[in-house]
Amino acid sequence: MAIRLGVLPRLALVAFLVIFILHFLSTSLGPREEFADDDPNWSERLGLDHYADWEAGVADRLGDGMDKVRDSLGVIKGGLGWGVQGTRLGSLYELILTSNPSPGPAYFDERTSLDRLRLSSTRVLGHSSGNAPDDADDDDSTTPANRRHILVTGGFGSMGKHVVRDLLLGLNGHKGRTNGFDEWTALDSKSDEEDILITLLDVDDRSSELNHLLQSAPISTPLKVKGTDPRAQAFTSSERTVSSFKRKGKLRIILGDVRDQDLIKSLLLPAPASETQTSGSGFRKVKLKNHVESAVLIPPVSGIIHLAAYSPSACRVNPMDCADVEMSGMEAILNGLERDGESGAIGGRKALVAERPWLIMPRRGEAWAEIPNAYHANASTESMVESHRLLKQFASKHPIHSLLLQLPSSHSIIGDPYTPRFDPIPHIVESALGDLPVQVYTLPDNMHDSFLAIDDAAQSIIQGARMLELSSKKLYLRSFAFVAELEVVGPGIILKSKAGPLAELAKATIAITQSLSPFAEVLEGTHDPTESADRVARMGAMRKTLTKALGFTPTITIRSALKTYILSLLALQSTYLTKQVNIACSTAPSIPVLEEGLLGLSGCNVQLLTVIEGAYFTLGCSAGLEGKHDTPVALVGAIPFKEGVRGVEVLAERGMEGKVDLQFRCPVTKDGKLTGESDIVVWADTTDGGEFSEAKEAGPRTIAEWYTVDFASRDARSFTLTLPPTEGVAEGDEPKRRLTLKDLRGSYKSLIFQAAAPGEARPMQWRINPICCPANDRRKDLWDYFKEDPVITSQVSFPSEDGRTSLSESTLSMQRCKALRAEHDRIVKLRKAVKDPEVTERCEPVRGEASLWEAKDLQICHNDCSAPIVCLASETCKCTRDRCGDPRARGPFPAVAYSERRSFSAEKAEPVTLAQRVASIPWESIILPGARRAFATPLVDLPQVHVVDLPDTIDTHMQQAACYNIDKSPLPFMGDHFLVEALRNQSVGIEEADFVLVPYFQGCYYNYLQENTFKKLADTVGFAETRIAAADHISASKIAIPFTHDFGSCTGWWPRLEDVLGRSPPSPMDQAIAWQVNGDYNTRCVKPDRDVVMPAVSKLSKALASTFKSIDKITPVSKRKHLAFFAGGVRGFGAVARTRIGCGRTSQDAKTAKVLYQQFAEGERYLGTLNQAKFCLLPRGIPAWSTRTFEAIYAGCIPAFVVDRNIFPFQDILDYSLFSVSIPENEAHRVEEYLATFTEAQMFELQAHVLRVREVFLFKEGEEWERKGPLFFSLVSMAMRLYLGYPAVGGCASQLALR
């Protein structure tokens, strides 16, 4: 029989309908196999113990509403607003009744026992209209809608800020995205007008951070202003601020603790019964601080988003307080939800259905196990057990709609620009932005970690809140009580290789930021493909469950989330830089302002600096200088190595022409001692043109005792010095005579005032560098060189012709503005590249040896601890590890970190002794993120070393007691002996070695610049080169040479060595890693983040170990008499800062002095004084460091570094901010003011951490393999370097060109 073709579609439709109806009946009426009656655990899993009471009792509680639910006819329809109308919700209620592992089967209602109740999402939650009642029927089943009032606890936390932002702005970030990373779409143009009130509760006010998030969210609705006036956009953004939402009555901020029972109860007060019955409004009139209105109408809370908790990583710092926040916080909330007169009896027939807000409790998963046996690794999971139990217990007796939302690990959520910088992802991103090394360890446990964009995480919370809000308003669902559990899983990451997700994320970060970072992925453990496949499948099932349960699917890709995060960081940095540029690049002061500054310096001792042949010199008093000096002032090197800082006292007055005139004075000496008097330095007449002379000796030859200042460059604050006109000669009738060099080519730099003829030497330009002024704050503020010292910030040129260092013309003080602008330009280009989807991503760079690294010759950028990004690499500089620390790494309550104290307790905490506090500090808390995995490696498993066995003709150090016996050594530079001898005991064959150590006992030679020293190095390197050549796997990055004397590898190193060898330095030896004590990166011979900077041996090592053998021998900081102590000479690079510290302190009484300067405490010698000072001042020494650093640390004296551009021992491993303070060198004259700001509690914490790390800085012969001392940390440093691959020049398109 023929069938017409037109009938086929109709038959297909009928068949489809029949199948659909059969499927409908089977799913609606069929039994659930997951909860078969013979399963003994089903009721326990569901928490349903009273099924037998259900048939008899449920009708009285639900009435007609029960019929709707049982017959699958109820429809939840409508939307909450919040940017969405007609929200399509998921099947949360259906999944509550299943055994699906996510959400967990946690349906708690001991009164109604709805274990067999089938709540189908397609009919109950509005996914289809089949068999649904009409609109009027459902409207009758819904309570009147009040103004929504949501309490967000922990609203200033990382997740809380984003949730509050989206609630206020009505953003629905998971839909309507066009590019996935920087556009927002509100589905309803009226969403910004949604009638909602957010109460934000937190312990700290971070309104500025919430402001940034509100204003940086793009405006999705078209502006209702014609034209292109940019003020329209600015006005719209200005309305999206915390203060604006406060004024509108949409936001109120309460500072308080979620554990405060009285506070929480006041926030959760229900509407008065009379108001609810009569008006249905339930509003209370409340007066709020910081609001424009004198009173606002506060409706009762309709929902709670409970985010107040420690982050999982912060939970490790105090598990007891973390658990207390969870448990006591939940107790306070549940107590606030109790209602008077409510009958909660299980068998009760007429229980009241009280007005009660819904509750959603999002929590992040445990932080990654970055290291084996991490400190309190499961603290977060354990802390939540009791709070979950309390909520489930409450739900068994009270109607409440609640949701436990499990988010991914706190380390896996990407996007908050305020995340602690030491968390893994921020650390990777910041390292990439600074061209710093990125090393990732891939463990089997984190091969398939799920990343999630913070915008998706916030939307999952809000979507859950939408469901709870809608369901709690349905009359036929109000008697239900349930605690649903659901896990949010991110979209996953597409693995392009066997690398783990974190390694792929790191590579993506390096590509997005156009970074030159060295990179390595270290694979550890065995990878089980079957287990990985199962895990991937489980995560896929979780994503499907999330979509089904909440009607929400995370869609933001990891790459898009990374871009959003990077753009947010760059936006913050750009805002910060704009302010800094405005300061550094401001218009130079006018001449009158500069002259006022000079007048303010009258009476000060200053350096008069000038540049000769590219190096700084100073005009200073010559008394006490070595060599022949016929005049009272002389030109000497700005950095003294023997004689101390040379300066002159200046007096400043207005001259006859209205300009500033200066007078110079020098101290008077008698029999080689200062008399306390000073004499005027005059310009006297001589047969060869004149000279500086003392006034008492010049007599009638005096020409002038005042010198006129003419500013030559306002930007540089430089000026010339001019003699006044000759007496009797009218102004303008003779050329001005300015101070200049008499003979540029002469070794003796004599000066003369003369008129410069065409083609002759130009007049010298001078800059004033104040050293010491009388106690007058006005002087400290008038002259801006108190804020930036050109000597300190200049570039070191080393070595010079005479074997001494010199300073080239300032490269920082003069170019700070230029550097800031370069950084700002880098941000502009990078933001443009990140935003542009058409920009072709760079190819995978060829990585190889550090000698080919594209960034190896770049200078080191400036670190700014106040900036959002501490350091940002540019075309001209790369970064190094800083000492800024992470202020957010110690959790929300830093005062109780790494203790068992509670932050919110009426009980007074028991006092903790210094020894107890030291013992409670875990090593993990002091180690920087990039070093944690290497640090956790046992000493015997760290990189193996082959020590080159030098012949006796070269290695002669054991023949000289001064080279190996510290008691007989003239200098404390024996670290090479301790290290080499310890490593020699564990040396392996070169074929098995991970790296090679070439012994070079630099500390054996007192005068390390002598020719025989370089001959010794040449012989050592030449011999080592022949041994290493046979090992193909030993490259430059796997060769280490110790340099333990003062300037480390800077003592001629390869430039002088080439002269001695008579040829170019051997390769790869010229790129070897230096184990050195010098970390001054003002020099070119230190390779930051490649060289290992280690401590030097102290001459007092044995005395320190004996005197301060145990912590009970160390005086707690609270009992120390003096604020600070400085001991040391005044020469070398630190001479200027050391002189400034001593200004006004050279003749003080040691009994009453707050800062001891070159004097001991009363009745004490050096070690005793170390035990009596809270801080030890540590400015630069002859080089940039001092052995007193390690002595102070071992004695429990908090190091106060007065050093800017220097790397301290193991600075890329240890968080120096926890056990030291840093004072800018240009603030050396304010050390007392700076240190006085620290509280006793802060100093106690600093001292405890000092003592925790003190063994790192002291060598102990024969014990190095038994402790975490200098040897252990040196090997950890090598483990962080050996596997790095450096982006090579030419291996890809030059990244410097892209910048």
Side-chain angles (χ1 to χ4, degrees), residues 208-232:
S208 61
E209 298 178 10
L210 180 56
N211 255 334
H212 171 75
L213 295 179
L214 288 168
Q215 293 187 310
S216 60
I219 300 171
S220 56
T221 54
L223 295 173
K224 298 179 181 180
V225 179
K226 294 182 179 181
T228 58
D229 190 344
R231 291 174 295 180

PDB file of all heavy atoms in Angstrom, residues 208-232:
ATOM      1  N   SER A 208      37.322  50.137  49.194  1.00  0.00           N
ATOM      2  CA  SER A 208      38.079  50.566  48.011  1.00  0.00           C
ATOM      3  C   SER A 208      38.179  49.440  46.995  1.00  0.00           C
ATOM      4  O   SER A 208      38.130  49.675  45.785  1.00  0.00           O
ATOM      5  CB  SER A 208      39.478  51.036  48.427  1.00  0.00           C
ATOM      6  OG  SER A 208      40.201  49.981  49.044  1.00  0.00           O
ATOM      7  N   GLU A 209      38.323  48.204  47.454  1.00  0.00           N
ATOM      8  CA  GLU A 209      38.405  47.071  46.539  1.00  0.00           C
ATOM      9  C   GLU A 209      37.059  46.824  45.866  1.00  0.00           C
ATOM     10  O   GLU A 209      36.995  46.565  44.660  1.00  0.00           O
ATOM     11  CB  GLU A 209      38.867  45.824  47.299  1.00  0.00           C
ATOM     12  CG  GLU A 209      40.266  45.983  47.903  1.00  0.00           C
ATOM     13  CD  GLU A 209      40.690  44.774  48.700  1.00  0.00           C
ATOM     14  OE1 GLU A 209      39.986  43.740  48.637  1.00  0.00           O
ATOM     15  OE2 GLU A 209      41.722  44.854  49.401  1.00  0.00           O
ATOM     16  N   LEU A 210      35.982  46.901  46.638  1.00  0.00           N
ATOM     17  CA  LEU A 210      34.653  46.747  46.054  1.00  0.00           C
ATOM     18  C   LEU A 210      34.371  47.872  45.069  1.00  0.00           C
ATOM     19  O   LEU A 210      33.768  47.657  44.005  1.00  0.00           O
ATOM     20  CB  LEU A 210      33.595  46.718  47.154  1.00  0.00           C
ATOM     21  CG  LEU A 210      32.139  46.561  46.702  1.00  0.00           C
ATOM     22  CD1 LEU A 210      31.953  45.315  45.849  1.00  0.00           C
ATOM     23  CD2 LEU A 210      31.203  46.534  47.913  1.00  0.00           C
ATOM     24  N   ASN A 211      34.826  49.065  45.387  1.00  0.00           N
ATOM     25  CA  ASN A 211      34.674  50.202  44.465  1.00  0.00           C
ATOM     26  C   ASN A 211      35.327  49.901  43.128  1.00  0.00           C
ATOM     27  O   ASN A 211      34.770  50.175  42.065  1.00  0.00           O
ATOM     28  CB  ASN A 211      35.308  51.453  45.075  1.00  0.00           C
ATOM     29  CG  ASN A 211      34.281  52.418  45.592  1.00  0.00           C
ATOM     30  OD1 ASN A 211      33.139  52.455  45.132  1.00  0.00           O
ATOM     31  ND2 ASN A 211      34.665  53.222  46.565  1.00  0.00           N
ATOM     32  N   HIS A 212      36.544  49.368  43.182  1.00  0.00           N
ATOM     33  CA  HIS A 212      37.261  49.063  41.931  1.00  0.00           C
ATOM     34  C   HIS A 212      36.482  48.053  41.099  1.00  0.00           C
ATOM     35  O   HIS A 212      36.355  48.210  39.874  1.00  0.00           O
ATOM     36  CB  HIS A 212      38.650  48.528  42.243  1.00  0.00           C
ATOM     37  CG  HIS A 212      39.372  47.992  41.043  1.00  0.00           C
ATOM     38  ND1 HIS A 212      39.935  48.801  40.081  1.00  0.00           N
ATOM     39  CD2 HIS A 212      39.601  46.711  40.629  1.00  0.00           C
ATOM     40  CE1 HIS A 212      40.480  48.059  39.137  1.00  0.00           C
ATOM     41  NE2 HIS A 212      40.299  46.784  39.447  1.00  0.00           N
ATOM     42  N   LEU A 213      35.955  47.015  41.741  1.00  0.00           N
ATOM     43  CA  LEU A 213      35.200  46.004  41.003  1.00  0.00           C
ATOM     44  C   LEU A 213      33.918  46.580  40.422  1.00  0.00           C
ATOM     45  O   LEU A 213      33.528  46.251  39.303  1.00  0.00           O
ATOM     46  CB  LEU A 213      34.874  44.825  41.927  1.00  0.00           C
ATOM     47  CG  LEU A 213      36.073  44.010  42.437  1.00  0.00           C
ATOM     48  CD1 LEU A 213      35.598  42.894  43.355  1.00  0.00           C
ATOM     49  CD2 LEU A 213      36.864  43.426  41.285  1.00  0.00           C
ATOM     50  N   LEU A 214      33.255  47.455  41.171  1.00  0.00           N
ATOM     51  CA  LEU A 214      32.026  48.067  40.675  1.00  0.00           C
ATOM     52  C   LEU A 214      32.302  48.949  39.459  1.00  0.00           C
ATOM     53  O   LEU A 214      31.574  48.919  38.464  1.00  0.00           O
ATOM     54  CB  LEU A 214      31.371  48.896  41.779  1.00  0.00           C
ATOM     55  CG  LEU A 214      30.707  48.121  42.921  1.00  0.00           C
ATOM     56  CD1 LEU A 214      30.358  49.060  44.072  1.00  0.00           C
ATOM     57  CD2 LEU A 214      29.451  47.410  42.438  1.00  0.00           C
ATOM     58  N   GLN A 215      33.359  49.728  39.533  1.00  0.00           N
ATOM     59  CA  GLN A 215      33.625  50.695  38.463  1.00  0.00           C
ATOM     60  C   GLN A 215      34.318  50.075  37.257  1.00  0.00           C
ATOM     61  O   GLN A 215      34.221  50.591  36.152  1.00  0.00           O
ATOM     62  CB  GLN A 215      34.459  51.848  39.004  1.00  0.00           C
ATOM     63  CG  GLN A 215      33.701  52.688  40.017  1.00  0.00           C
ATOM     64  CD  GLN A 215      34.470  53.919  40.435  1.00  0.00           C
ATOM     65  OE1 GLN A 215      35.634  53.841  40.787  1.00  0.00           O
ATOM     66  NE2 GLN A 215      33.828  55.067  40.375  1.00  0.00           N
ATOM     67  N   SER A 216      35.013  48.953  37.466  1.00  0.00           N
ATOM     68  CA  SER A 216      35.707  48.338  36.335  1.00  0.00           C
ATOM     69  C   SER A 216      34.810  47.395  35.542  1.00  0.00           C
ATOM     70  O   SER A 216      35.183  46.980  34.442  1.00  0.00           O
ATOM     71  CB  SER A 216      36.936  47.571  36.839  1.00  0.00           C
ATOM     72  OG  SER A 216      36.564  46.547  37.740  1.00  0.00           O
ATOM     73  N   ALA A 217      33.637  47.038  36.090  1.00  0.00           N
ATOM     74  CA  ALA A 217      32.709  46.204  35.324  1.00  0.00           C
ATOM     75  C   ALA A 217      32.152  47.033  34.171  1.00  0.00           C
ATOM     76  O   ALA A 217      31.569  48.095  34.394  1.00  0.00           O
ATOM     77  CB  ALA A 217      31.578  45.717  36.234  1.00  0.00           C
ATOM     78  N   PRO A 218      32.321  46.587  32.932  1.00  0.00           N
ATOM     79  CA  PRO A 218      31.850  47.379  31.791  1.00  0.00           C
ATOM     80  C   PRO A 218      30.361  47.658  31.868  1.00  0.00           C
ATOM     81  O   PRO A 218      29.574  46.850  32.370  1.00  0.00           O
ATOM     82  CB  PRO A 218      32.182  46.490  30.584  1.00  0.00           C
ATOM     83  CG  PRO A 218      33.288  45.627  31.047  1.00  0.00           C
ATOM     84  CD  PRO A 218      33.033  45.382  32.503  1.00  0.00           C
ATOM     85  N   ILE A 219      29.978  48.808  31.374  1.00  0.00           N
ATOM     86  CA  ILE A 219      28.569  49.213  31.369  1.00  0.00           C
ATOM     87  C   ILE A 219      27.890  48.543  30.188  1.00  0.00           C
ATOM     88  O   ILE A 219      28.251  48.770  29.032  1.00  0.00           O
ATOM     89  CB  ILE A 219      28.451  50.746  31.276  1.00  0.00           C
ATOM     90  CG1 ILE A 219      29.145  51.374  32.488  1.00  0.00           C
ATOM     91  CG2 ILE A 219      27.008  51.184  31.173  1.00  0.00           C
ATOM     92  CD1 ILE A 219      29.281  52.875  32.393  1.00  0.00           C
ATOM     93  N   SER A 220      26.902  47.709  30.488  1.00  0.00           N
ATOM     94  CA  SER A 220      26.289  46.911  29.426  1.00  0.00           C
ATOM     95  C   SER A 220      25.104  47.609  28.776  1.00  0.00           C
ATOM     96  O   SER A 220      24.799  47.381  27.620  1.00  0.00           O
ATOM     97  CB  SER A 220      25.851  45.563  29.991  1.00  0.00           C
ATOM     98  OG  SER A 220      24.990  45.755  31.095  1.00  0.00           O
ATOM     99  N   THR A 221      24.401  48.463  29.528  1.00  0.00           N
ATOM    100  CA  THR A 221      23.216  49.116  28.962  1.00  0.00           C
ATOM    101  C   THR A 221      23.625  50.377  28.227  1.00  0.00           C
ATOM    102  O   THR A 221      24.507  51.106  28.681  1.00  0.00           O
ATOM    103  CB  THR A 221      22.221  49.477  30.080  1.00  0.00           C
ATOM    104  OG1 THR A 221      22.895  50.244  31.077  1.00  0.00           O
ATOM    105  CG2 THR A 221      21.663  48.217  30.718  1.00  0.00           C
ATOM    106  N   PRO A 222      23.016  50.685  27.084  1.00  0.00           N
ATOM    107  CA  PRO A 222      23.395  51.888  26.337  1.00  0.00           C
ATOM    108  C   PRO A 222      23.164  53.148  27.159  1.00  0.00           C
ATOM    109  O   PRO A 222      22.201  53.246  27.918  1.00  0.00           O
ATOM    110  CB  PRO A 222      22.468  51.849  25.120  1.00  0.00           C
ATOM    111  CG  PRO A 222      21.993  50.438  25.033  1.00  0.00           C
ATOM    112  CD  PRO A 222      21.957  49.921  26.437  1.00  0.00           C
ATOM    113  N   LEU A 223      24.071  54.090  27.003  1.00  0.00           N
ATOM    114  CA  LEU A 223      23.916  55.360  27.711  1.00  0.00           C
ATOM    115  C   LEU A 223      22.749  56.144  27.131  1.00  0.00           C
ATOM    116  O   LEU A 223      22.541  56.183  25.924  1.00  0.00           O
ATOM    117  CB  LEU A 223      25.206  56.181  27.590  1.00  0.00           C
ATOM    118  CG  LEU A 223      26.444  55.570  28.266  1.00  0.00           C
ATOM    119  CD1 LEU A 223      27.674  56.400  27.923  1.00  0.00           C
ATOM    120  CD2 LEU A 223      26.254  55.489  29.764  1.00  0.00           C
ATOM    121  N   LYS A 224      22.012  56.763  28.024  1.00  0.00           N
ATOM    122  CA  LYS A 224      20.852  57.532  27.586  1.00  0.00           C
ATOM    123  C   LYS A 224      21.229  58.991  27.384  1.00  0.00           C
ATOM    124  O   LYS A 224      20.510  59.901  27.739  1.00  0.00           O
ATOM    125  CB  LYS A 224      19.734  57.413  28.623  1.00  0.00           C
ATOM    126  CG  LYS A 224      19.257  55.960  28.807  1.00  0.00           C
ATOM    127  CD  LYS A 224      18.172  55.860  29.862  1.00  0.00           C
ATOM    128  CE  LYS A 224      17.719  54.415  30.047  1.00  0.00           C
ATOM    129  NZ  LYS A 224      16.664  54.296  31.087  1.00  0.00           N
ATOM    130  N   VAL A 225      22.411  59.208  26.859  1.00  0.00           N
ATOM    131  CA  VAL A 225      22.886  60.565  26.622  1.00  0.00           C
ATOM    132  C   VAL A 225      23.342  60.650  25.179  1.00  0.00           C
ATOM    133  O   VAL A 225      24.133  59.822  24.722  1.00  0.00           O
ATOM    134  CB  VAL A 225      24.051  60.928  27.576  1.00  0.00           C
ATOM    135  CG1 VAL A 225      24.531  62.337  27.296  1.00  0.00           C
ATOM    136  CG2 VAL A 225      23.609  60.782  29.022  1.00  0.00           C
ATOM    137  N   LYS A 226      22.851  61.609  24.456  1.00  0.00           N
ATOM    138  CA  LYS A 226      23.233  61.766  23.058  1.00  0.00           C
ATOM    139  C   LYS A 226      24.628  62.354  22.960  1.00  0.00           C
ATOM    140  O   LYS A 226      25.088  63.054  23.855  1.00  0.00           O
ATOM    141  CB  LYS A 226      22.226  62.651  22.325  1.00  0.00           C
ATOM    142  CG  LYS A 226      20.839  62.011  22.216  1.00  0.00           C
ATOM    143  CD  LYS A 226      19.902  62.899  21.440  1.00  0.00           C
ATOM    144  CE  LYS A 226      18.516  62.258  21.308  1.00  0.00           C
ATOM    145  NZ  LYS A 226      17.589  63.104  20.531  1.00  0.00           N
ATOM    146  N   GLY A 227      25.241  62.115  21.849  1.00  0.00           N
ATOM    147  CA  GLY A 227      26.557  62.681  21.629  1.00  0.00           C
ATOM    148  C   GLY A 227      27.653  61.760  22.142  1.00  0.00           C
ATOM    149  O   GLY A 227      27.409  60.655  22.611  1.00  0.00           O
ATOM    150  N   THR A 228      28.877  62.223  22.074  1.00  0.00           N
ATOM    151  CA  THR A 228      30.029  61.406  22.457  1.00  0.00           C
ATOM    152  C   THR A 228      30.783  62.015  23.624  1.00  0.00           C
ATOM    153  O   THR A 228      31.967  61.789  23.788  1.00  0.00           O
ATOM    154  CB  THR A 228      30.971  61.262  21.253  1.00  0.00           C
ATOM    155  OG1 THR A 228      31.380  62.580  20.826  1.00  0.00           O
ATOM    156  CG2 THR A 228      30.299  60.536  20.121  1.00  0.00           C
ATOM    157  N   ASP A 229      30.109  62.825  24.390  1.00  0.00           N
ATOM    158  CA  ASP A 229      30.770  63.474  25.514  1.00  0.00           C
ATOM    159  C   ASP A 229      31.294  62.416  26.483  1.00  0.00           C
ATOM    160  O   ASP A 229      30.516  61.648  27.043  1.00  0.00           O
ATOM    161  CB  ASP A 229      29.769  64.392  26.236  1.00  0.00           C
ATOM    162  CG  ASP A 229      30.468  65.285  27.256  1.00  0.00           C
ATOM    163  OD1 ASP A 229      31.622  64.973  27.608  1.00  0.00           O
ATOM    164  OD2 ASP A 229      29.860  66.276  27.679  1.00  0.00           O
ATOM    165  N   PRO A 230      32.611  62.324  26.696  1.00  0.00           N
ATOM    166  CA  PRO A 230      33.148  61.291  27.601  1.00  0.00           C
ATOM    167  C   PRO A 230      32.689  61.476  29.031  1.00  0.00           C
ATOM    168  O   PRO A 230      32.775  60.559  29.829  1.00  0.00           O
ATOM    169  CB  PRO A 230      34.674  61.482  27.476  1.00  0.00           C
ATOM    170  CG  PRO A 230      34.846  62.890  27.003  1.00  0.00           C
ATOM    171  CD  PRO A 230      33.660  63.186  26.128  1.00  0.00           C
ATOM    172  N   ARG A 231      32.184  62.665  29.366  1.00  0.00           N
ATOM    173  CA  ARG A 231      31.721  62.871  30.740  1.00  0.00           C
ATOM    174  C   ARG A 231      30.509  62.007  31.053  1.00  0.00           C
ATOM    175  O   ARG A 231      30.236  61.703  32.213  1.00  0.00           O
ATOM    176  CB  ARG A 231      31.395  64.350  30.953  1.00  0.00           C
ATOM    177  CG  ARG A 231      32.630  65.249  30.936  1.00  0.00           C
ATOM    178  CD  ARG A 231      32.256  66.700  30.993  1.00  0.00           C
ATOM    179  NE  ARG A 231      31.524  67.106  29.780  1.00  0.00           N
ATOM    180  CZ  ARG A 231      31.079  68.347  29.577  1.00  0.00           C
ATOM    181  NH1 ARG A 231      31.284  69.284  30.486  1.00  0.00           N
ATOM    182  NH2 ARG A 231      30.440  68.637  28.456  1.00  0.00           N
ATOM    183  N   ALA A 232      29.754  61.627  30.015  1.00  0.00           N
ATOM    184  CA  ALA A 232      28.581  60.776  30.241  1.00  0.00           C
ATOM    185  C   ALA A 232      29.019  59.423  30.801  1.00  0.00           C
ATOM    186  O   ALA A 232      28.443  58.920  31.763  1.00  0.00           O
ATOM    187  CB  ALA A 232      27.808  60.591  28.945  1.00  0.00           C
TER     188      ALA A 232
END
